[in-house]
Amino acid sequence: MKPRLTLRWIVFAVAVFVMNFPVISTLVTAFKSPGEVSRNPSLWIETPTFENFATVLTTSDRLNIYNYLWNSTVAAGIGAVLPIVVAFPLAWAIVRRGVGRAILFPLVVNLRALPLIIFAIPIYMMFSVAGLLDTRLGLGLILAVVNLPLALMLLVNAVAEIPHEIEEAAHMDGARLPRLLFRIVLPLCRPALITTFIFGFITAWNEFLFGLMLTTSKAVPMTVGASFFFATSGGGVQWGVAAAVMVVAALPPLALGLVMYRRITGSLVAGAVKG
Amino acid sequence: MASLHLEHLTKTFGNQTVTRNVSLSVEDGAFCVFVGPSGCGKSTLLRLIAGLEEASSGRIMVADRDVTKVPAYDRDLAMVFQSYALYPHMTVRDNIAFSLRTAKRPEDEVAAKIAEAARILKLEDLLDRKPAQLSGGQRQRVAIGRAIVKQPKLFLFDEPLSNLDAELRVHMRVEIARLHRDLGTTVIYVTHDQVEAMTLATKIVVLRAGEVEQVGSPLQLFDDPDNIFVAGFIGSPQMNFFKAKHQGGRLFATDFPDQSCQAPALSAALAEGQDVTVGLRPQFMGLEGNASLELMIEVVEHLGSETLVHARPPGSAQMMTALVADGRNLAPGQAFVARFDPDRLMVFDATGKRLR
């Protein structure tokens, strides 16, 4: 191997290690026994154990990781899909009809810049009246609001990339608006839709503030539930269990990202117009 | 199949009028070409007929039905776009079938029509490909296929050949002409290429700045243009023009007054001293005729069967072009006496209107 190539690989390896150190450290800790965690801070595991995972995956009256996972899956699912359902027709109307282009679009996109905490009190009060507190639907709805700006931005760009003539051709072929939207525009936005879904799902899955504020027992999401494991024995933090719950909590969005990423292909508009 | 009537059609964008008071009739089965320079409003006129733009005023009648306010998807027309505008996520088969499935035609009918269109356009081997896997000419054929399966009242073509290379353009031009002959559907075709217009059309509409300059058959426009714009636009190479003054039955070139020629016979006599513009087609300048212009050859282009001579009168910057049948011995720097029949001269008044 040439020296330059070797050096390049060393730099890559160091960069990968430094950037992923928190992940590696958590993963290693998850396989250490409580005694080893306090005795051996290195990345080397002397006696690997599944004890922490067993603790995490065993349900008790107080802790049920399967419920947290299910709650997060449902709420993040709603929080990822609903913004697409709302933003897709809106994005088309903004791009093709100019509806809300001047005020609504920048307003919605700039919502992302506001700290979410300022919505906390009014939302809590509204949810309380509407009976949405501690429900997966309620949590999903608020996560949808959190994801809407990004979804709208991505989908507006995606619709704007579709050559106008393709839509005009569909009109000439007799397609009214619903057929145009669902048979032509929607399939052509597929990469953006998948990207929006993945980003939305991961953002919703990782959301902590509204999970903590709007749920108490029935709809507690994984992020909030994970924090319950930090002191399972009532004493100090059990780092091994905490690390194991973090690993379990990180797996579903990771798997989703890996599976869906393959479906994000390049532009689908290739070959549509001259070239 | 259907006729098309436009009545006082006007389209404005903001304070800009793109088509102005256009009235026109296109008979059933005609091949009507809108031709004109860039920005003359020909594509806008086509889009008004298609329903992709809304008319500011006037009426559009297709098969005696007023479609002015009817949306594009209900007009029962088919359009071939300059950029092809194929659906990139669908196969060729699904692209062609889209309008039929939109109209909820039975699947066996859809399959039969796809097969027929594929046979006519030689697309049989390409039906399962996506547009990205096709060449420019193949994409254009798919776009045409998509139009013909619909059996529309009118075919609208918006500069369909302008993205193809020269050889393919000639080939597709013949294909489109053949298709029109076989299907007999009325065609409205937009181009800025007057050769396309001359070769394809049964009727040409020459447009300038949103207004119709002249309507007629290709040879009518070539032989008998109404004004200097149509005379200059139709015909390749372009008509030669020079300013002249009428004196004593002769036309004296303003730029090279030592040369003159006999004025053509006109129904209304030219006034003595009247300033006019004289037009003479390169095809009518050659080695025979009663009148002549003495020129100095600048450039000679041998096209094989004929020769294009670019020359100017001595002492003048006015370039003229002659298309001569036997010009193999001509060379730059030689004197060239371009002979012509004075009756071939066209005379235009100061406003550009033809004096007949």
Side-chain angles (χ1 to χ4, degrees):
Chain A
M1 201 183 273
K2 288 178 187 169
R4 272 187 66 174
L5 200 59
T6 314
L7 183 68
R8 195 179 292 177
W9 274 105
I10 292 171
V11 171
F12 281 159
V14 170
V16 166
F17 179 76
V18 170
M19 284 192 279
N20 288 297
F21 183 76
V23 179
I24 298 166
S25 170
T26 305
L27 203 58
V28 166
T29 309
F31 290 97
K32 287 181 179 175
S33 64
E36 190 177 338
V37 169
S38 55
R39 193 180 67 248
N40 169 23
S42 76
L43 291 180
W44 181 253
I45 309 167
E46 288 166 4
T47 353
T49 173
F50 287 97
E51 188 188 325
N52 299 320
F53 287 97
T55 309
V56 166
L57 297 175
T58 307
T59 58
S60 68
D61 289 346
R62 202 165 71 81
L63 299 171
N64 186 340
I65 194 168
Y66 306 105
N67 271 350
Y68 306 149
L69 284 170
W70 177 240
N71 292 341
S72 271
T73 306
V74 173
I78 295 171
V81 171
L82 195 58
I84 293 175
V85 173
V86 174
F88 172 68
L90 179 59
W92 186 86
I94 287 172
V95 174
R96 297 293 187 223
R97 296 275 188 265
V99 177
R101 186 155 37 192
I103 297 169
L104 184 67
F105 180 50
L107 196 73
V108 171
V109 170
N110 280 312
L111 272 182
R112 202 81 185 85
L114 291 175
L116 294 173
I117 191 79
I118 67 167
F119 299 108
I121 294 170
I123 282 173
Y124 186 90
M125 290 163 75
M126 284 194 296
F127 272 38
S128 172
V129 173
L132 289 170
L133 283 176
D134 203 21
T135 61
R136 287 184 285 264
L137 175 65
L139 187 58
L141 287 177
I142 196 66
L143 294 175
V145 174
V146 171
N147 279 330
L148 186 65
L150 184 70
L152 189 61
M153 211 158 59
L154 288 170
L155 293 178
V156 160
N157 285 335
V159 174
E161 262 187 29
I162 299 173
H164 204 183
E165 292 102 317
I166 294 184
E167 292 189 22
E168 290 182 340
H171 273 311
M172 295 307 297
D173 275 346
R176 288 158 192 261
L177 189 57
R179 187 163 167 82
L180 172 76
L181 282 181
F182 293 109
R183 294 305 307 276
I184 305 293
V185 183
L186 193 72
L188 291 178
C189 288
R190 197 182 69 186
L193 293 168
I194 294 173
T195 309
T196 309
F197 178 78
I198 293 174
F199 281 155
F201 190 88
I202 292 171
T203 305
W205 185 276
N206 291 330
E207 209 284 329
F208 185 77
L209 174 70
F210 289 110
L212 182 68
M213 199 181 78
L214 301 177
T215 65
T216 45
S217 58
K218 290 199 295 269
V220 171
M222 192 61 234
T223 43
V224 176
S227 68
F228 298 165
F229 285 89
F230 279 42
T232 41
S233 61
V237 175
Q238 292 203 37
W239 292 112
V241 175
V245 80
M246 281 184 226
V247 170
V248 173
L251 285 177
L254 194 68
L256 177 82
L258 287 176
V259 170
M260 299 291 268
Y261 187 77
R262 291 190 199 153
R263 301 188 66 91
I264 308 178
T265 51
S267 171
L268 288 179
V269 192
V273 292
K274 67 179 175 182
Chain B
M1 293 213 287
S3 59
L4 169 74
H5 297 282
L6 306 180
E7 294 171 12
H8 308 291
L9 200 60
T10 296
K11 174 66 183 176
T12 55
F13 291 107
N15 54 10
Q16 198 185 356
T17 303
V18 186
T19 57
R20 195 189 305 271
N21 199 26
V22 172
S23 292
L24 180 70
S25 287
V26 179
E27 311 74 35
D28 192 359
F31 196 121
C32 177
V33 175
F34 295 169
V35 70
S38 293
C40 70
K42 55 190 186 298
S43 282
T44 305
L45 195 54
L46 191 78
R47 291 171 60 81
L48 285 167
I49 297 166
L52 298 172
E53 302 285 352
E54 205 174 315
S56 304
S57 63
R59 274 209 315 173
I60 302 165
M61 309 280 289
V62 176
D64 300 322
R65 170 189 173 215
D66 185 348
V67 297
T68 318
K69 301 284 178 199
V70 175
Y73 50 75
D74 270 345
R75 289 196 186 186
D76 197 13
L77 312 177
M79 183 155 166
V80 176
F81 291 79
Q82 181 179 4
S83 59
Y84 321 137
L86 301 179
Y87 310 126
H89 56 300
M90 295 183 191
T91 60
V92 168
R93 185 190 308 279
D94 290 340
N95 262 279
I96 295 175
F98 187 79
S99 65
L100 301 171
R101 292 194 176 127
T102 302
K104 297 192 166 61
R105 307 303 309 163
E107 269 308 310
D108 52 346
E109 183 190 324
V110 172
K113 284 193 171 170
I114 292 171
E116 173 69 2
R119 188 188 59 74
I120 294 172
L121 295 161
K122 302 185 183 70
L123 290 169
E124 288 105 329
D125 298 335
L126 307 174
L127 285 174
D128 294 317
R129 292 207 198 161
K130 293 270 181 76
Q133 297 166 296
L134 304 177
S135 69
Q138 290 168 335
R139 285 179 204 175
Q140 190 57 273
R141 296 216 301 273
V142 176
I144 294 171
R146 198 167 62 174
I148 63 174
V149 289
K150 211 182 153 189
Q151 295 179 319
K153 291 199 173 80
L154 301 176
F155 277 132
L156 310 176
F157 287 87
D158 188 4
E159 306 209 24
L161 307 185
S162 59
N163 287 326
L164 303 179
D165 61 47
E167 197 182 333
L168 201 52
R169 203 177 309 161
V170 174
H171 175 73
M172 285 306 292
R173 208 166 68 200
V174 176
E175 291 287 305
I176 290 174
R178 190 174 55 85
L179 208 62
H180 175 248
R181 189 200 60 204
D182 292 350
L183 302 176
T185 310
T186 314
V187 172
I188 312 293
Y189 187 106
V190 163
T191 182
H192 62 268
D193 181 345
Q194 61 90 29
V195 177
E196 254 173 57
M198 293 291 284
T199 51
L200 285 171
T202 57
K203 179 179 222 168
I204 295 180
V205 180
V206 183
L207 291 149
R208 178 169 63 155
E211 291 185 70
V212 173
E213 290 284 321
Q214 192 174 353
V215 181
S217 72
L219 291 179
Q220 255 171 356
L221 297 189
F222 184 83
D223 293 338
D224 193 17
D226 280 349
N227 56 48
I228 200 164
F229 176 79
V230 175
F233 198 82
I234 298 292
S236 177
Q238 201 189 21
M239 184 183 274
N240 297 299
F241 294 104
F242 58 92
K243 302 266 186 222
K245 195 179 270 293
H246 175 245
Q247 276 170 340
R250 293 187 73 78
L251 296 165
F252 288 83
T254 317
D255 246 18
F256 38 104
D258 53 325
Q259 297 203 48
S260 67
C261 56
Q262 186 194 327
L266 302 174
S267 57
L270 291 167
E272 192 66 7
Q274 185 175 352
D275 286 318
V276 293
T277 300
V278 178
L280 179 58
R281 293 210 180 272
Q283 291 84 350
F284 302 141
M285 295 169 80
L287 307 174
E288 289 173 12
N290 299 333
S292 65
L293 284 172
E294 287 170 23
L295 307 171
M296 192 64 75
I297 298 176
E298 296 258 317
V299 177
V300 176
E301 293 177 284
H302 294 293
L303 305 177
S305 60
E306 47 201 6
T307 303
L308 212 49
V309 182
H310 301 278
R312 59 184 176 79
S316 166
Q318 173 87 54
M319 270 307 241
M320 300 224 180
T321 306
L323 189 67
V324 294
D326 185 14
R328 286 173 183 257
N329 298 325
L330 298 174
Q334 282 181 357
F336 172 57
V337 179
R339 307 199 70 85
F340 54 91
D341 179 351
D343 283 335
R344 292 291 193 182
L345 291 174
M346 292 186 191
V347 183
F348 304 91
D349 69 9
T351 63
K353 187 168 169 288
R354 168 106 181 273
L355 301 171
R356 291 184 167 99

